[in-house]
Structures are given as C-alpha cells and as structure tokens.
Amino acid sequence: MPNTNSIGFVCGTKGDAVTFLVNTNVTLSFGQIVRIESDKRSFYARVVNSESSSTLETIEQLREAQGKEAFGPYSAYRSVEAVLFLEKRGDSIRSPTFNPNYRDQVYAATDEDCAVLNLTGELQVGRLRSENQLLSSVGINIDAIPRMMGMFGMTGSGKTNTELVINAQIIDNSPRTVALIYDFAGQLLEGKEIKTQKGLKHHPLFPTRIQYYSGQDGKMAVGLKTITPGKLEMLFPDIQPPQRRLAWQLFRHFGANWIENSRELYRSEGNVGVRAQKVVVEALMQKLSSLSGELFPSSDYTFVDSALQNICNGVSCLVDISGMRSEDQNRVVCLSSSTIAEHYKRTWESNFDEWLKLPTLLITLEEAHEFLDPNKPRTIFSDIALTYRKYRVGLNAVTPRPSRINFDVFAELWTKVIMKTELKKDRMYLTENTPYMEYSETEIKMLDVGEALLISEPKIKFAVPIRVTHYPEYLEKHPPIDHGLRDFQSLSIMDEKLRMLRSQEKVKL
Ligand SMILES: Nc1ncnc2c1ncn2[C@@H]1O[C@H](COP(=O)(O)OP(=O)(O)OP(=O)(O)O)[C@@H](O)[C@H]1O
Ligand SMILES: [Mg+2]
C-alpha cells in the first residue's frame, strides 16, 4: 500500500476499539475511514469519537495560558477512537481477526484504499467522503436490488434526490433492470425545485424507457370489471373472511359486472340478490360504494395491465399518485404492486425460462411507513420484502420514520442509505438494528444534506460515509439523446413513433 504521511499512532486497543493520538495540524471527521498498518496486516477502522486534552496539571495549564511559562509542545494532545471493521492480509480481506498494536501508524484512507474496500458498483450512489475530500465512487450492484433496500432521512435530507439517482441508473441498465416508482408528491417527473427543475423527464432515455401514469389525466383508471374478489384485499386491507365469501358469491352470480350490479341492486332494493347476513352485506357494500367513479370507472380497462406489460419489457413506470385521497393512493399502490409482483412469482413457478428474461425489478415506495407499520393491517409490501427475493422483485422502502417499519421487514433490507435523522427514536432504531452501526448515532444527527451512510450487504458490510451524487450533476454526464421526435406535431404520430422505437428495441434484445 503506498503510504502517504501517517496522521498519528495507536496508543491503545481494546476488542474492536482502537485509540490513536493524532499529529498536530491533522483534521479528521466523524465517520472517516482510516487505515492502520500493523506488521503484515492492514486494519480499516471508522472514527467514532474524539477527545482533546493535555497532560498538564490545571495550574500548569493556567500558567501556560497566561504566557508565564511554556511546558513543551507535546503536552497537548487529541486522541481519537475508531472501530475496526476490516482486515487485509496479502490479498485476503475479511472481518478483523485481531487488533493493531501499540505505536502502529495510522493513515487517512485514499483512493487506493477505496479499491481495496471494493466500494464501486454497477449503480453508483455517490463518492466516498474522507474529511473534506471526495474520493472514488461508491455504488451497489444489481444483485443488491432483490435483497431489498431502505432509504431513511428527515425532511430535506436528500431522499428524493437519491431515489432519482438510483432509478436513473436502473433505467440506464434496462432491460436487465426496471423500475416501478410511486410518486406521492408529484416531483419525480419534472422536479419541483426552483433552481434545478430536473426529474425523470430529463433522463436521456425518457421517450423510450419510461412510461408515466398520472391520476390527473384520467389514464390511471382501474375498471370495475377488472376487479375480482381475489383483489379485494389489496383495495381493503381490513376486509374480513365473511365479506370475502360474499364477494365470491356475488362474482359467481353476476360475473365480471358483480360490483356494479350489486351496488345498483343494493341502492334500489336494499339487498344484493344473494342470501347473506345483513351485517356482512352492509360491511361489503360500504366498502364497494367507497370506490370513486373517477378512479374506478365501469370499464374493463385497467392501467395495471399496461404497467405490467411495460415492466416485463423493461420500460420503467412512474406512477404519479399526488393529489389523490390517501385511501386511493394506498389502493393504487397495493393493487398494482401485487399484480406485478404476483406475475413474477407465477412466471417463476410455471415458466422458469420466461422468468429468466424478466428484468430485475425495484419498486420504490415513498411513505413506506404507511405500508409497513406493524400496528396497521399487513400489506403486500411486507410479503415482497420477506419472500420475493428469489423472484428478483426488490423493494426500496423510503421513509423519514424508520422506527415505524415492521422489525422483520427492516431486518430484510440489506442495503440501507441512511441520511440525516434528528429524531432520537429513529436514530436509536437505525443504529440498534443495523449491523456495524452501533457507534454511529451521533454521526447520523450530524450529516449534511446529500450526505449519507451506505451499507449494502454482503458486499459493503460497514457504514460507508458518502456524498450522494446530485441528480442534475448526473444528467450533465448523461446528455439528451435525439430520438427524432421533435418534428412530430401530432401526439398520435409521436405515440406511433414511440411504439415503433420500443418494438425495434425489443427485436434487438
Ligand atoms: N446530494 C446532493 N447534493 C446537493 N444537493 C442535494 C443533494 N441531495 C439533495 N439535495 C438538495 O436538498 C434539497 C432536499 O432534497 P430532497 O428533496 O431529495 O430531500 P427529501 O429527503 O426527499 O425531502 P422530503 O422529505 O421533503 O421529501 C433539494 O433542494 C435537493 O436539491
Ligand atoms: Mg422527498
């Protein structure tokens, strides 16, 4: 390892904790990675604490402060505590088997160390932070997608920017990967920033690899005829078994028109045409009547089929549910995710070769605490997080409130991007339930906007301090591609052209 100047030397070790004294004029920061050379081994450690003091007695300190006497340059010191996370011996890298020795030299991590730590990946998230420098790129691999992800940080900490950066690269890697993104705030298409205004619309592959669905243009409808009783659980998580049985009875009786016919009958005659207990009828009909006509019209079209088809073809889907009632948002999100995830599962079971051709899917879910709260009825997302890994369906749970995420699900999120979090309860939850994070509670509070700690097991087993790439910077490196669409005035010609572009791409694949 080419050594730059050492920044200090080890003055004590205990278990995985190392204390070292820092040379004068060296600046360090919490979370910084340091290397300790120890005979034939190198150890890597993260700075977790620091203390400065002097060996002088108080009276001597006072005399020196008053300028009456000088007590020598080595009497003041700064000691730093660091926690070991990796050991390198020859070419082998592993968790530490021992700890460094007294007087071993300490160095600040360099770009060469980044190579040793193997922090780069196919999906680049940002760059390694080392004090005030940015070192080489840090990223996760595509096989991390189905191992589930989480992004945590308080309002304004940079979660949406990180979502954009990761999903943009999932789109770049299509059709190997594909993204299904739920946008609760309506800011991912165009960007809602006063200064930059950049969103997925500005992605160079937007015309061919991204499909946008919005609740506001009527395109995001779920026709009542497409809703079978089996899907009711996605629309009404609190539905009880007797109501489900009644729904099946109605479905057998009326066929695909079961919701409209039973609603009509109930309105005009107070019954639903099949024998059932009054309370059960009331409970079910109350649920069915709450489906708004705008989102659930009486048709046999559902945007979910279109989204499914796009996902299977490697076209990422941005589903804008901003401005909807929160019950409708939940319905759209659960219904579409379950249909798509279920398709992956069924294809895996019944047609493995076909499944191999499906792109690896990442579902980005903001407000994830609303869907993964242990105190609320279970949703499809806990199933996805717990069991859909083998089908290559991944979940990216984004939330400012990690402590409200079901513990079992939280434990399954192998990649975590942790951004500034001030609430103690959330910081405690993050550090107590994430391996190698037990010393990082203070650090999480002190992160700046766009700064994060990244863990991606099994590849990155420790919290790497990074600065996430700013999405506008990413776009600068990925200039627009001319798809030859500008000359077309009519939207229908443009649609046709897009269809052609997509089918040509499919043929090429
Ligand atoms: N890596 C970064 N570099 C520079 N600026 C950033 C970075 N990440 C985020 N920002 C800026 O910080 C602001 C907040 O970011 P963002 O909207 O991503 O936060 P958020 O966590 O999604 O907030 P909210 O909880 O309100 O949705 C934005 O102005 C964004 O441009
Ligand atoms: Mg946001």
Side-chain angles (χ1 to χ4, degrees):
M1 184 64 51
N3 286 339
T4 47
N5 292 337
S6 95
I7 57 168
F9 67 90
V10 173
C11 61
T13 48
K14 196 168 188 187
D16 62 352
V18 179
T19 312
F20 59 92
L21 293 178
V22 188
N23 300 341
T24 41
N25 298 332
V26 168
T27 43
L28 283 169
S29 57
F30 288 119
Q32 186 170 342
I33 295 177
V34 293
R35 185 181 79 249
I36 303 159
E37 291 298 338
S38 183
D39 196 14
K40 293 195 177 77
R41 291 186 270 211
S42 308
F43 290 97
Y44 287 92
R46 294 187 72 229
V47 172
V48 291
N49 214 340
S50 173
E51 198 182 309
S52 68
S53 189
S54 101
T55 49
L56 301 178
E57 299 287 324
T58 313
I59 180 75
E60 292 171 330
Q61 288 181 13
L62 284 171
R63 290 173 74 95
E64 180 158 281
Q66 287 162 356
K68 289 183 179 156
E69 230 170 314
F71 287 88
Y74 301 107
S75 52
Y77 64 88
R78 174 181 280 280
S79 75
V80 170
E81 199 182 321
V83 171
L84 298 173
F85 62 83
L86 210 73
E87 167 184 316
K88 177 175 180 283
R89 190 196 296 232
D91 287 336
S92 114
I93 304 256
R94 53 158 303 152
S95 307
T97 54
F98 207 47
N99 55 21
N101 210 348
Y102 177 66
R103 278 259 163 210
D104 282 343
Q105 295 295 309
V106 183
Y107 302 86
T110 59
D111 276 333
E112 284 86 8
D113 294 304
C114 294
V116 169
L117 298 170
N118 189 20
L119 299 176
T120 53
E122 291 152 307
L123 309 174
Q124 294 176 6
V125 188
R127 290 172 66 190
L128 179 70
R129 276 184 292 124
S130 184
E131 218 275 306
N132 60 355
Q133 273 183 307
L134 292 180
L135 301 179
S136 60
S137 121
V138 179
I140 57 173
N141 279 338
I142 286 176
D143 62 12
I145 294 174
R147 294 203 182 99
M148 310 299 156
M149 299 175 64
M151 285 181 191
F152 314 108
M154 57 193 278
T155 301
S157 57
K159 299 181 295 300
T160 302
N161 176 69
T162 316
E163 283 167 45
L164 281 170
V165 167
I166 289 192
N167 281 305
Q169 294 173 77
I170 288 187
I171 292 159
D172 289 337
N173 278 286
S174 73
R176 206 178 142 203
T177 50
V178 73
L180 172 59
I181 309 161
Y182 294 105
D183 185 359
F184 284 73
Q187 56 182 7
L188 293 176
L189 180 70
E190 298 188 329
K192 279 271 162 78
E193 297 236 354
I194 295 144
K195 275 183 287 175
T196 51
Q197 290 273 353
K198 296 285 184 222
L200 289 177
K201 195 176 175 181
H202 306 98
H203 190 285
L205 297 176
F206 179 75
T208 56
R209 300 281 172 89
I210 303 174
Q211 178 65 53
Y212 175 64
Y213 298 94
S214 164
Q216 275 145 26
D217 58 11
K219 265 192 194 163
M220 204 161 64
V222 178
L224 288 179
K225 292 189 180 64
T226 66
I227 300 176
T228 56
K231 291 184 181 159
L232 285 186
E233 216 170 328
M234 296 306 140
L235 301 176
F236 310 105
D238 56 342
I239 192 164
Q240 301 296 316
Q243 295 162 38
R244 229 176 295 148
R245 279 195 293 276
L246 172 60
W248 279 112
Q249 261 178 291
L250 292 168
F251 185 67
R252 278 191 294 271
H253 188 71
F254 292 116
N257 287 331
W258 70 284
I259 298 182
E260 286 165 278
N261 287 1
S262 60
R263 278 203 315 207
E264 189 54 49
L265 214 56
Y266 189 66
R267 213 174 298 134
S268 58
E269 297 180 21
N271 67 58
V272 288
V274 300
R275 280 169 65 89
Q277 272 186 342
K278 198 160 173 261
V279 281
V280 178
V281 173
E282 264 172 18
L284 180 66
M285 294 320 290
Q286 197 183 11
K287 288 191 170 64
L288 295 180
S289 321
S290 71
L291 297 174
S292 68
E294 203 183 334
L295 186 59
F296 298 95
S298 55
S299 76
D300 57 6
Y301 166 83
T302 168
F303 89 97
V304 179
D305 290 343
S306 147
L308 173 62
Q309 210 177 3
N310 279 322
I311 294 283
C312 294
N313 290 335
V315 176
S316 294
C317 296
L318 173 58
V319 183
D320 183 343
I321 47 175
S322 59
M324 281 187 186
R325 291 186 308 163
S326 85
E327 310 91 88
D328 282 343
Q329 289 183 329
N330 291 10
R331 286 168 187 160
V332 165
V333 167
C334 291
L335 190 69
S336 49
S337 279
S338 73
T339 308
I340 292 167
E342 206 47 39
H343 177 82
Y344 271 68
K345 181 175 183 214
R346 255 184 294 113
T347 314
W348 185 86
E349 285 161 354
S350 61
N351 192 347
F352 193 74
D353 288 342
E354 197 54 39
W355 173 82
L356 287 173
K357 291 183 208 151
L358 288 174
T360 299
L361 168 64
L362 181 68
I363 305 176
T364 298
L365 180 68
E366 286 196 345
E367 311 296 335
H369 54 275
E370 291 294 334
F371 298 86
L372 296 165
D373 191 331
N375 301 319
K376 292 192 174 173
R378 258 177 83 118
T379 65
I380 176 70
F381 293 102
S382 41
D383 284 355
I384 292 180
L386 298 175
T387 58
Y388 277 65
R389 173 168 307 181
K390 67 169 177 277
Y391 312 125
R392 280 188 295 117
V393 175
L395 174 67
N396 180 11
V398 184
T399 172
R401 299 300 322 277
S403 63
R404 282 183 55 198
I405 290 201
N406 172 344
F407 175 76
D408 293 329
V409 170
F410 191 81
E412 285 301 318
L413 308 175
W414 285 25
T415 296
K416 293 192 181 94
V417 181
I418 297 168
M419 315 197 83
K420 183 182 172 81
T421 305
E422 278 184 353
L423 219 58
K424 188 158 176 87
K425 193 172 170 198
D426 287 317
R427 277 187 289 134
M428 299 285 282
Y429 190 77
L430 287 169
T431 51
E432 281 172 7
N433 299 309
T434 310
Y436 321 102
M437 287 283 297
E438 56 266 56
Y439 307 98
S440 303
E441 206 209 303
T442 313
E443 200 185 337
I444 297 177
K445 188 168 67 180
M446 293 179 177
L447 292 168
D448 206 349
V449 174
E451 290 182 349
L453 298 178
L454 173 79
I455 298 168
S456 183
E457 291 196 75
K459 185 172 168 273
I460 303 177
K461 283 195 174 149
F462 55 94
V464 186
I466 59 168
R467 166 162 281 278
V468 178
T469 312
H470 199 202
Y471 183 61
E473 272 168 43
Y474 166 88
L475 288 179
E476 275 168 29
K477 296 202 181 113
H478 296 78
I481 299 171
D482 188 356
H483 293 273
L485 296 172
R486 262 175 243 134
D487 300 339
F488 294 97
Q489 295 301 314
S490 142
L491 270 178
S492 59
I493 302 177
M494 197 144 112
D495 272 354
E496 188 51 37
K497 174 90 178 162
L498 283 176
R499 254 195 298 280
M500 272 166 52
L501 271 172
R502 280 187 190 144
S503 59
Q504 277 166 8
E505 284 193 354
K506 250 193 289 171
V507 171
K508 268 190 249 158
L509 303 169

